[in-house]
Amino acid sequence: MPKVDDLPGEPQPHINLLAGLGALSSIEMKALQTAGARARSISARREVLHESAQAGPGSLLISGWAGRVRHFQDGRRQILHLLLPGDLIDWCPWPDLLTPTTITALTDLKIAPAAQPDRIGSGLWQAYVQSAAIEQGYLFRQIGRIGRFDAHERLADILLEIGERLERAGASEATHYHLPITQEMLGDLLGLTPVHVNRTLQHMRTQKLIELRGNLVRLLNVRELKNIAQYQSLAFGGPREV
Amino acid sequence: MPKVDDLPGEPQPHINLLAGLGALSSIEMKALQTAGARARSISARREVLHESAQAGPGSLLISGWAGRVRHFQDGRRQILHLLLPGDLIDWCPWPDLLTPTTITALTDLKIAPAAQPDRIGSGLWQAYVQSAAIEQGYLFRQIGRIGRFDAHERLADILLEIGERLERAGASEATHYHLPITQEMLGDLLGLTPVHVNRTLQHMRTQKLIELRGNLVRLLNVRELKNIAQYQSLAFGGPREV
DNA sequence: CGACAAGTTGATGTTACTCAAAAGTGGTGG
DNA sequence: CCACCACTTTTGAGTAACATCAACTTGTCG
């Protein structure tokens, strides 16, 4: 598996991810590479985008984790969707049609302006559109997860999902990755309190389902985890001919 | 006592809704009217669309309530999103990019094949695209609702949201409408058990927040309901010039 | 070293679930 | 019209899951 960090140069998860979604021309690949090089840094806990903002020309998350967030008046918050390296952030096929949500940096980030597809229907354009469709799929999963799963199921499910997404972006292995967010953020994502997240993780450790040291997770018993979460990968089409 | 049935001709909520989202030409209006007349019936609890199905050419929900549903192996289910009269069901701006979810009829339905926009960018096309974007906004709300709200908040929120959506479709008043789904379905939508939905509704009745007789709901204290749910309308743009 | 954030643990309270049964509702056929 | 059925709503009692409050520990960084 591609241990991206060993490769020369910067890791470019957005290229790995998008190349899997649309048949990119070499020009488009180049554009993505140069975009990646022009990434700017944003530090943890900063807002990347505010609810009230207009949809921008699109951005690519190069490194770090972010989240679409809803804040409530009484201080509660819910992470609606987790954004991982390689993800497309606020691109939209037409101006002004994006539902604006606040996006917050959960860790330090690097964000690059998205390379613009030169025409509708190009490989890059297809990849972007697919990317948006996939996000919608994850929203559906998120609803099912927090609506009907208990704490163990939610954690098993999200750990599997994150691993799968990181692997697709070539950023990690699916069963062994760096989890750079706090248990409190995990709670905000899963609709649980940080205390309960902690206890549940403890329990999963004693069950030898996972290992968690520092912020390195290892999924020790993927079979059982998938069983707990009734897990199945989110299916989506690969690149198609235009 | 649905007032709508007393009006001459068939009610056409999809026209009310879509006309608010895109500047429809008179030809497009006609097309929607004839589409509405060609509606077919589907009886309650039937699947309208299965997960595995290809994205179709699109359908309009003319009457009745449906839901995007996820079923779990152990019999639990979660209604991911509620589909109300006038809603666009499986239309997608490009073939095959829709995330397929099972759609189930919660009541008897009437469904019409969606009139196809004749070109990208037309008023009808814009209305459809906006409609899809709005659905995404409701998905975000749904996640916040079930992730961080307790039972009272969830019910207050959903009752307000449903009222608002029905009113926008010209199908009811926002504070006084027919609720044709069972409390069990409401539970599946909100991630609660039917028993707990019932108790919570009882409590809201004693608080004089709502009135619920048969399946007619009246929101008696909208101010307080909005306060409970920290409610604010989902903002979206009206028709725009092409 | 000290300060601060994150993780951990215990004790206790509350919300929501489970199981169970009764009562109301609507439709169907005799 | 009534009897019967299936479904929904309602209510009660007991339980489990999760939240809350609070303290203590660990780790990290200046």
Side-chain angles (χ1 to χ4, degrees):
Chain A
M1 66 251 48
K3 302 204 70 177
V4 180
D5 288 342
D6 300 342
L7 297 177
E10 292 289 316
Q12 306 229 336
H14 58 298
I15 298 184
N16 299 329
L17 214 47
L18 291 169
L21 297 177
L24 304 184
S25 70
S26 56
I27 296 175
E28 288 170 331
M29 291 286 283
K30 273 254 157 56
L32 286 177
Q33 275 164 10
T34 55
R38 263 182 299 155
R40 73 182 194 280
S41 293
I42 293 181
S43 50
R45 288 164 203 280
R46 292 281 274 282
E47 276 190 9
V48 179
L49 206 74
H50 191 265
E51 227 178 311
S52 60
Q54 291 288 2
S59 303
L60 290 164
L61 182 51
I62 304 300
S63 70
W65 294 21
R68 286 189 195 278
V69 176
R70 179 169 174 198
H71 289 274
F72 297 98
Q73 290 155 14
D74 50 12
R76 287 180 286 184
R77 76 168 187 177
Q78 174 69 39
I79 298 180
L80 307 171
H81 178 60
L82 194 59
L83 296 161
L84 300 182
D87 281 351
L88 185 62
I89 291 193
D90 63 345
W91 184 84
C92 180
W94 310 275
D96 303 329
L97 285 179
L98 201 68
T99 306
T101 54
T102 298
I103 294 181
T104 301
L106 302 178
T107 69
D108 290 345
L109 303 183
K110 287 207 174 116
I111 287 192
Q116 292 304 312
D118 53 339
R119 60 182 180 79
I120 288 183
S122 74
L124 185 58
W125 183 87
Q126 280 205 1
Y128 282 2
V129 171
Q130 283 252 15
S131 178
I134 289 167
E135 178 173 336
Q136 175 152 328
Y138 284 120
L139 292 183
F140 288 140
R141 295 192 50 141
Q142 168 80 333
I143 293 171
R145 179 160 51 218
I146 60 184
R148 286 305 186 194
F149 277 1
D150 68 22
H152 284 266
E153 293 166 327
R154 289 184 213 181
L155 270 161
D157 193 52
I158 199 71
L159 290 175
L160 288 164
E161 186 176 298
I162 289 171
E164 194 171 281
R165 288 175 62 187
L166 290 175
E167 188 171 70
R168 275 193 182 140
S172 284
E173 297 169 47
T175 61
H176 185 211
Y177 54 87
H178 186 73
L179 187 78
I181 60 174
T182 65
Q183 294 181 2
E184 183 176 10
M185 292 172 185
L186 222 38
D188 286 339
L189 178 62
L190 298 176
L192 299 168
T193 56
V195 175
H196 200 63
V197 168
N198 185 280
R199 285 189 223 277
T200 308
L201 287 173
Q202 298 295 353
H203 190 254
M204 292 174 83
R205 283 199 266 220
T206 66
Q207 301 288 106
K208 300 249 185 284
L209 291 170
I210 61 169
E211 194 181 283
L212 182 55
R213 275 207 316 263
N215 34 22
L216 210 59
V217 194
R218 188 186 291 276
L219 310 186
L220 297 175
N221 190 342
V222 174
R223 178 162 209 79
E224 181 57 17
L225 287 169
K226 289 195 176 178
N227 193 35
I228 289 171
Q230 307 186 25
Y231 193 81
Q232 44 191 32
S233 304
L234 186 66
F236 53 85
R240 286 174 302 132
E241 300 309 314
V242 189
Chain B
M1 57 261 105
K3 319 196 148 203
V4 183
D5 288 340
D6 300 341
L7 297 176
E10 292 291 315
Q12 307 228 336
H14 58 298
I15 298 183
N16 300 329
L17 215 45
L18 292 168
L21 298 177
L24 304 184
S25 71
S26 57
I27 295 175
E28 289 171 332
M29 292 285 284
K30 273 254 157 57
L32 286 176
Q33 274 166 9
T34 55
R38 263 182 299 156
R40 73 183 195 280
S41 293
I42 293 180
S43 51
R45 287 163 204 280
R46 293 280 274 282
E47 275 189 10
V48 179
L49 206 71
H50 193 267
E51 227 178 310
S52 60
Q54 291 288 3
S59 302
L60 290 164
L61 182 51
I62 304 300
S63 71
W65 294 21
R68 288 188 194 278
V69 176
R70 179 168 174 199
H71 288 273
F72 298 97
Q73 290 156 15
D74 50 12
R76 287 179 285 184
R77 77 169 186 176
Q78 174 68 39
I79 298 179
L80 307 171
H81 178 61
L82 195 59
L83 296 162
L84 300 182
D87 282 350
L88 185 62
I89 291 194
D90 63 345
W91 183 84
C92 180
W94 309 273
D96 302 329
L97 285 179
L98 201 68
T99 306
T101 55
T102 299
I103 293 180
T104 301
L106 302 178
T107 70
D108 290 345
L109 304 182
K110 288 207 174 118
I111 287 192
Q116 292 303 312
D118 51 341
R119 61 180 178 83
I120 288 184
S122 74
L124 184 58
W125 184 88
Q126 281 205 0
Y128 282 2
V129 171
Q130 284 252 14
S131 178
I134 289 167
E135 179 173 335
Q136 174 151 329
Y138 284 120
L139 292 183
F140 288 139
R141 295 190 51 138
Q142 168 79 334
I143 293 171
R145 179 159 51 219
I146 61 185
R148 286 304 185 195
F149 277 2
D150 68 22
H152 284 266
E153 293 166 327
R154 290 184 212 181
L155 270 161
D157 193 53
I158 199 71
L159 290 176
L160 288 165
E161 186 176 297
I162 289 171
E164 193 171 282
R165 288 175 61 187
L166 290 175
E167 188 171 68
R168 276 194 181 138
S172 282
E173 296 168 47
T175 60
H176 186 212
Y177 55 87
H178 186 73
L179 186 78
I181 60 175
T182 65
Q183 295 180 2
E184 183 175 11
M185 293 172 186
L186 222 38
D188 286 338
L189 178 62
L190 298 176
L192 300 168
T193 56
V195 174
H196 199 62
V197 168
N198 185 279
R199 285 191 222 277
T200 308
L201 287 173
Q202 297 295 351
H203 190 253
M204 292 173 83
R205 283 200 266 220
T206 66
Q207 302 287 107
K208 301 248 185 284
L209 290 170
I210 62 169
E211 195 180 284
L212 182 56
R213 276 207 316 263
N215 33 22
L216 210 59
V217 195
R218 188 185 292 274
L219 310 187
L220 296 175
N221 189 343
V222 174
R223 178 162 211 79
E224 181 56 16
L225 287 170
K226 289 194 175 178
N227 194 34
I228 290 172
Q230 307 185 25
Y231 192 82
Q232 44 191 32
S233 304
L234 186 65
F236 53 85
R240 285 175 301 133
E241 300 310 313
V242 189

